[in-house]
């Protein structure tokens, strides 16, 4: 039955994450962007919210019932509303945990999932993106070849968050004609973490290019064992997460622009009382709501266990465009002040522009 | 709860209406586009059986009462938006010519006494096809409804109202005022000095002396539907034909719109999502046709390819599909909120803004994508583009609805944000 109201439990999660985003993340976001690092205590406070453990079953140390993409989408929006770099930082262990939960063998789950429920933030990550314009998750340049009881990985990855500190990394590679994932533990020889990347936005998030040269991992490191992994399912979890994060970024920019427009006066009245500004704000809010509903529907479809690629891809595409539109308009509402880094809207535009290039960098 | 499952009765109904659209509406859509002014009786007579069975409710959302008495969730507005969407998918012009109470009936439903509902709405459950209509717009006043000049004066004995004025853009005005025993709900002021507080709706029965259909418009699209100009010259109607109270409640300082008028504006909360749904019926028809036409000719569409790697045509089609779906979800949200008994003015205007814009953008792009074939009258695509165009205009233009949205978001009154 069609309904659009989060249940009580979800409402509680929204409120908790929103409070964290507003009171802890937001005030630190400007300095984090300038200095290139989110303060560790903000990440550890966020980790204490227990978002990942609550999505993991009790038998693996979690305290969740069932992993729900809808609930994850709701939390992701609030995190994005706080700060995108901090959100992606905090969600990085999900890049390892969610694929294991859905595609891992029993041994893999038993070995790794309990480690992701620690009281301390656990840096585990994944490497999917490759540094080329025509990167596609279905035709990766990174390869995996079977050599007796090992797999040998070769390739070059980019946008790998927290690669330098990660205890373990899920590396996506082409094996035969398909995309598979391999667990690579810290210190494995042949893995080179290159210099930290510099991007237009996400400046507080440490991401790296990583090189794999004849990296040997045991046969058991292949995600899902002989069955392998369902790359499309995992991409859909990523699309829903990114779409929801984009909604959060857009919502933050919209609210800021509204507040500004109601205070800033020209010709004797607040600029929000001019249609040229008011109509922009109206359109921004419509795009945000529309993008959110698209993300929810895709998440719901995933939770139903139905084929969700079409819905998730459209939701992501919609959000990619909506977040750019909204953050760009927010800069415009602030005029010259919007271009100055003292106000956060230009940062949101830099962050927002990235979504069209992001894939596999968040999962919920 | 967050849930996107369509209730089974609606799913079943959509299948039936889809068949009706395909087998009855599509084959005659072009004919009535080219023969503006002819009535599509084959459609009218067929749909009337259904409308009559539902007591003429084509726009007012009626919830069935459960026979066992258990409380079922209300889904009347969800049913309504699905119905309008499906019929508009068949053909928007034909849908608009559907007999029944339409906007006139909705006004009676929303503001009439039980006696008035019985007296005016009973006709839609019996006999031959009849139409209700709503006359609001005047040559000098569209969205600015408070500037309406049509007036109603009480006779000295207090038994009758005398209406004088001119109304335009009355959907189904000809059928409601003249060619069937229907009625027109006319908005008129009983006190021109009182602004909105003096504005009242009156029911004028078909054929009442003094009510004349002065003109039938020739339109860009939705040509199967008649759009009339109606003139009232000393048109006398019984006192009891006023809907709601005859008192003029002058607003005191600090108060917003007067109660009666506000109540009437409330009908927009239900009708705007319905109009948005109609827009998206055309959009879905256009999208499905265009996608299939291109697919049959070897154009591939891949889902999940990032924006920068999509072909131009893929990007257009995926953009159209995403925009359509997003608009439809906004419509569902507005309808579900109304069914839940929650205020939905903001959501209703949001979905109307979005659907009005998307219906146009998608139909206009479809004409482009099909090249010379898109522009040709061989296909219905050019007609769908013309039919779509009204949706950003009627039931509040995109601009007036942006104003409604902005005022709600910013907490401004209509005086503060004009």
């Amino acid at each position: 039955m069609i309904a659009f109201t989060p249940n009580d439990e979800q409402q509680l999660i929204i409120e908790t994450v929103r409070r964290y985003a507003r009171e802890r993340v937001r005030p630190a976001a400007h300095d984090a962007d300038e200095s290139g690092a989110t303060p560790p205590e903000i990440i550890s406070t966020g980790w204490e919210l227990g978002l990942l453990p609550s999505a993991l079953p009790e038998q693996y140390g979690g305290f969740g019932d069932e992993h729900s993409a809808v609930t994850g989408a709701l939390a992701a929006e609030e995190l994005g509303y706080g700060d995108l770099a901090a959100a992606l930082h905090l969600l990085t262990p999900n890049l390892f945990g969610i694929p294991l939960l859905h595609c891992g063998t029993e041994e893999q789950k038993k070995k790794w999932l309990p480690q992701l429920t620690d009281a301390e933030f656990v840096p585990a990550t994944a490497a999917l993106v490759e540094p080329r314009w025509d990167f596609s998750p279905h035709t990766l340049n990174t390869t995996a070849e079977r050599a007796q009881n090992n797999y040998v990985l070769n390739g070059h990855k980019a946008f790998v968050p927290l690669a330098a500190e990660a205890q373990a990394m899920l590396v996506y590679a082409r094996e035969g004609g398909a995309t598979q994932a391999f667990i690579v533990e810290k210190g494995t020889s042949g893995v080179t973490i290159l210099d930290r990347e510099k991007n237009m936005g996400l400046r507080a998030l440490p991401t790296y290019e990583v090189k794999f040269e004849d990296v040997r991992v045991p046969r058991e490191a292949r995600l899902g064992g002989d069955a392998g992994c369902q790359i499309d399912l995992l991409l859909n979890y990523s699309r829903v997460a990114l779409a929801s994060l984009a909604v959060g970024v857009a919502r933050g920019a919209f609210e800021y622009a509204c507040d500004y427009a109601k205070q800033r006066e020209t010709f004797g009245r607040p600029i929000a009382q001019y249609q040229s500004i008011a109509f922009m704000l109206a359109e921004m809010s419509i795009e945000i709501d529309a993008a959110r509903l698209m993300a929810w529907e895709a998440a719901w479809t995933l939770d139903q266990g139905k084929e969700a690629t079409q819905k998730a891809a459209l939701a992501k595409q919609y959000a990619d465009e909506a977040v750019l539109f909204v953050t760009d308009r927010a800069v415009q509402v602030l005029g010259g002040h919007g271009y100055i880094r003292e106000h956060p809207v230009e940062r949101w535009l830099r962050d927002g522009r990235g979504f069209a290039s992001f894939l596999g960098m968040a999962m919920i | 709860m967050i849930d996107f499952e369509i209730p089974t009765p609606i799913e079943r109904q959509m299948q039936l209406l889809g068949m009706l659209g395909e087998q009855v509406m599509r084959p005659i859509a072009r004919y009535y586009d080219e023969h503006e002014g002819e009535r599509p009786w084959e459609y009218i007579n067929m749909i009337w059986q259904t409308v009559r069975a539902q007591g003429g409710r084509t726009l007012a959302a009626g919830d069935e009462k459960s026979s066992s008495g258990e409380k079922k969730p209300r889904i009347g507005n969800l049913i309504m938006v699905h119905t309008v969407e499906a019929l508009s998918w068949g053909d928007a012009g034909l849908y608009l010519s559907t007999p029944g109470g339409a906007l006139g009936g909705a006004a009676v439903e929303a503001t009439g006494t039980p006696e008035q509902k019985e007296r005016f709405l009973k006709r839609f459950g019996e006999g031959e096809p009849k139409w209700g209509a709503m006359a609001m717009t005047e040559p000098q006043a569209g969205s600015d409804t408070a500037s309406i000049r049509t007036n109603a004066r009480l006779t000295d004995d207090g038994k009758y109202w005398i209406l004088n004025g001119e109304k335009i853009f009355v959907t189904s005005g000809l059928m409601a005022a003249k060619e069937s025993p229907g009625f027109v709900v006319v908005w008129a002021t009983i006190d021109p000095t009182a602004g909105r507080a003096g504005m009242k709706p009156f029911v004028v029965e078909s054929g009442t002396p003094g009510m004349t259909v002065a003109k039938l418009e020739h339109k860009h699209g939705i040509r199967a539907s008649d759009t009339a100009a109606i003139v009232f010259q000393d048109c006398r109607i019984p006192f009891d034909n006023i809907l709601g109270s005859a008192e003029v409640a002058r607003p005191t300082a600090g108060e917003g719109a007067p109660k009666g008028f506000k109540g009437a504006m409330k009908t927009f909360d239900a009708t705007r999502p319905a109009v948005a749904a109609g827009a998206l019926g055309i959009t879905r028809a256009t999208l499905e046709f265009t996608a299939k036409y291109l697919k049959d000719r070897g154009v591939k569409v891949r889902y999940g390819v990032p924006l920068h790697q999509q072909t131009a045509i893929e990007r257009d089609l995926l953009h159209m599909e995403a925009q359509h779906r997003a608009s439809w979800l906004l419509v569902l949200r507005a309808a579900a909120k109304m069914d839940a008994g929650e205020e939905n003015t903001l959501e209703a205007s949001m979905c109307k803004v979005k659907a009005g814009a998307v219906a146009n953008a998608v139909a206009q792009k479809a004409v482009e994508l099909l090249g010379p074939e898109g522009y040709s009258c061989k296909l219905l695509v050019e007609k769908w583009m013309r039919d779509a165009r009204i949706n950003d205009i009627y039931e509040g233009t995109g601009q007036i609805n942006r104003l409604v949205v902005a005022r709600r978001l910013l907490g401004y009154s209509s005086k503060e944000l004009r």
Side-chain angles (χ1 to χ4, degrees), chain B residues 8-269:
Chain B
T8 322
I10 294 184
E11 201 142 23
R12 269 207 303 270
Q13 189 195 10
M14 290 298 278
Q15 280 167 5
L16 290 173
L17 293 175
M19 273 156 55
L20 176 82
E22 203 166 304
Q23 288 161 19
V24 178
M25 301 173 88
R26 290 281 175 90
I28 58 173
R30 178 57 76 184
Y31 180 89
Y32 288 101
D33 182 62
E34 289 177 349
H35 296 79
E36 194 170 20
E38 280 186 36
R39 297 293 90 217
W41 287 108
E42 59 268 66
Y43 167 71
I44 291 169
N45 286 326
M46 172 169 262
I47 197 80
W48 175 246
Q49 309 304 322
T50 315
V51 173
R52 199 171 61 176
Q54 292 169 356
R57 282 203 186 96
T58 46
L59 264 182
D63 265 288
E64 283 173 56
K65 286 195 184 75
S66 153
S67 52
S68 59
E70 64 192 89
K71 213 178 151 216
K72 282 200 287 188
R74 289 174 49 91
I75 57 169
N77 283 282
L78 276 176
I79 293 175
M80 178 171 68
V81 293
H82 279 90
T83 305
V84 175
E85 198 269 354
L87 290 174
S88 300
W89 178 88
D91 185 79
L94 293 171
Y95 154 65
L96 286 165
S97 68
T98 304
L103 287 170
V108 173
E109 194 92 45
T111 53
T113 63
E115 182 273 325
Q116 284 173 322
K117 285 183 197 174
E118 167 75 12
R119 184 152 57 99
F120 295 128
L121 299 180
K122 194 169 157 236
R123 69 191 71 189
F124 297 117
E126 57 192 31
E128 75 271 43
K130 303 169 195 74
W131 284 261
M134 168 100 99
M136 172 83 90
T137 303
E138 299 186 357
Q140 81 296 338
S143 294
D144 179 15
T145 47
S147 302
I148 277 166
R149 286 186 202 153
T150 296
N151 62 79
R153 181 170 48 83
L154 201 57
T155 54
D156 291 342
D157 58 10
K159 287 183 178 163
Y160 300 96
W161 297 99
I162 310 286
L163 267 56
N164 277 288
E166 185 187 352
K167 293 290 182 183
I168 60 169
F169 300 163
V170 184
T171 298
S172 298
L174 175 71
M175 304 312 285
K178 194 174 162 195
E179 296 202 348
S180 81
F183 61 78
V184 182
V185 172
V186 182
W187 286 81
T189 176
I190 57 174
D191 182 352
T193 66
R196 283 172 166 189
M199 289 259 310
K200 302 287 175 186
F202 298 87
V203 179
V204 184
E205 292 278 0
S206 171
T208 304
M211 174 167 70
T212 319
V213 174
K215 186 185 169 194
L216 292 175
E217 304 292 351
H218 301 279
K219 302 190 299 295
H220 183 64
I222 52 166
R223 293 184 184 163
S225 159
D226 82 77
T227 305
I230 303 181
V231 170
F232 298 88
Q233 283 170 302
D234 293 331
C235 178
R236 197 176 68 162
I237 58 168
F239 177 84
D240 287 343
N241 283 22
I242 189 169
L243 295 173
S245 149
E247 270 173 56
V248 177
R250 285 177 185 279
T252 48
E255 251 179 83
K259 241 186 171 177
F261 190 80
K262 237 182 192 168
M265 291 293 110
K266 281 269 165 220
T267 58
F268 282 137
D269 295 347

Side-chain angles (χ1 to χ4, degrees), chain A residues 85-123:
Chain A
L88 291 177
H89 193 140
L90 191 57
L91 290 175
T92 295
N94 288 35
L95 299 178
F96 191 84
I98 304 289
L100 256 84
L101 176 66
H102 284 283
C103 303
T105 61
E106 194 53 39
E107 290 73 36
Q108 288 169 340
K109 287 196 256 195
K110 269 191 192 143
K111 177 175 176 192
W112 290 102
L113 292 183
Q115 298 188 38
L116 299 175
T117 60
D118 257 23
E120 299 271 316
F121 179 76
V122 191

Side-chain angles (χ1 to χ4, degrees), chain A residues 27-352:
Chain A
H30 172 269
D31 290 353
D33 181 67
E34 295 286 331
S35 69
T38 301
E41 64 269 22
I42 288 184
I43 298 302
S44 56
T45 316
W47 186 250
E48 283 163 21
L49 299 175
L51 291 175
L52 180 55
S54 71
L56 301 176
E58 275 174 31
Q59 71 212 81
Y60 306 118
F63 41 89
D65 320 311
E66 224 169 301
H67 175 221
S68 158
V70 170
T71 305
L74 297 170
E77 177 180 333
E78 299 308 323
L79 290 176
Y81 172 78
D83 177 57
L84 185 62
L88 291 177
H89 193 140
L90 191 57
L91 290 175
T92 295
N94 288 35
L95 299 178
F96 191 84
I98 304 289
L100 256 84
L101 176 66
H102 284 283
C103 303
T105 61
E106 194 53 39
E107 290 73 36
Q108 288 169 340
K109 287 196 256 195
K110 269 191 192 143
K111 177 175 176 192
W112 290 102
L113 292 183
Q115 298 188 38
L116 299 175
T117 60
D118 257 23
E120 299 271 316
F121 179 76
V122 191
T125 188
L128 173 67
V129 180
E130 296 173 348
R132 55 190 173 101
W133 81 274
D134 58 346
F135 154 72
S136 159
H138 293 103
T139 50
L140 295 171
N141 280 359
T142 303
T143 56
E145 273 172 69
R146 181 81 180 268
Q148 280 129 21
N149 269 339
N150 291 309
Y151 282 97
V152 181
L153 305 178
N154 275 292
H156 192 165
K157 294 288 183 183
F159 284 108
V160 186
L162 311 186
E165 50 179 310
Q167 299 302 307
M169 188 186 293
L170 199 58
V171 179
Y172 292 87
R174 186 156 47 89
E175 184 204 338
T179 296
Q180 298 294 346
F182 300 86
I183 299 166
V184 177
E185 298 189 38
K186 193 181 173 85
T188 305
S189 86
V191 179
T192 315
I193 314 282
L194 300 175
D195 287 345
R196 188 174 155 179
E197 294 168 343
K198 254 191 178 177
N199 295 304
M200 176 166 68
L202 293 185
R203 298 181 76 96
L205 179 71
T207 67
Y208 301 84
E209 289 196 15
V210 183
K211 257 193 167 156
F212 300 88
E213 289 161 305
D214 292 330
V215 175
R216 297 180 91 81
V217 291
R219 200 180 146 187
E220 297 75 43
R222 188 182 194 247
L223 182 63
D226 291 339
C229 76
Q230 299 167 264
I231 182 67
D232 287 315
L233 177 73
L234 299 178
L235 289 172
N236 289 338
Y237 277 107
S238 174
R239 291 182 176 117
V240 169
L242 288 165
S244 301
L245 287 162
V247 171
V249 172
R251 198 183 91 215
F254 164 73
E255 282 181 15
Y256 196 90
C258 274
D259 291 345
Y260 182 88
K262 287 176 83 170
Q263 281 169 16
R264 168 75 175 182
E265 295 199 359
T266 54
F267 308 106
R269 53 187 169 125
I271 60 170
Q273 290 186 10
Y274 295 102
Q275 289 187 356
S276 56
I277 302 293
F279 281 17
M280 278 200 271
L281 294 169
E283 286 163 10
M284 289 154 77
S285 78
I286 292 168
E287 291 310 305
I288 292 165
D289 284 11
R292 178 186 299 120
L293 292 173
M294 291 288 277
W296 284 5
E297 189 185 28
W300 177 83
T301 308
L302 268 172
D303 285 348
Q304 299 297 301
K306 294 180 190 165
E307 165 52 39
T309 300
Q310 184 173 350
K311 293 236 182 291
L314 290 177
K316 171 147 193 316
Q317 172 156 340
Y318 197 96
D320 290 347
E321 297 184 28
V323 67
L324 177 64
F325 169 77
V326 172
T327 53
D328 176 77
R329 292 296 82 192
V331 169
Q332 192 68 16
V333 168
L334 269 76
H337 296 278
Y339 200 70
I340 305 294
R341 293 216 300 276
E342 261 168 57
H343 287 285
V345 286
E346 69 79 33
R347 183 177 79 244
W348 291 327
L349 173 58
R350 284 187 284 118
D351 287 346

Side-chain angles (χ1 to χ4, degrees), chain A residues 5 133 262 283 297 310, chain B residues 1 308 321 325 402 410:
Chain A
T5 315
W133 81 274
K262 287 176 83 170
E283 286 163 10
E297 189 185 28
Q310 184 173 350
Chain B
M1 192 177 44
H308 75 282
E321 188 179 346
R325 190 67 197 170
R402 277 172 177 80
L410 296 161

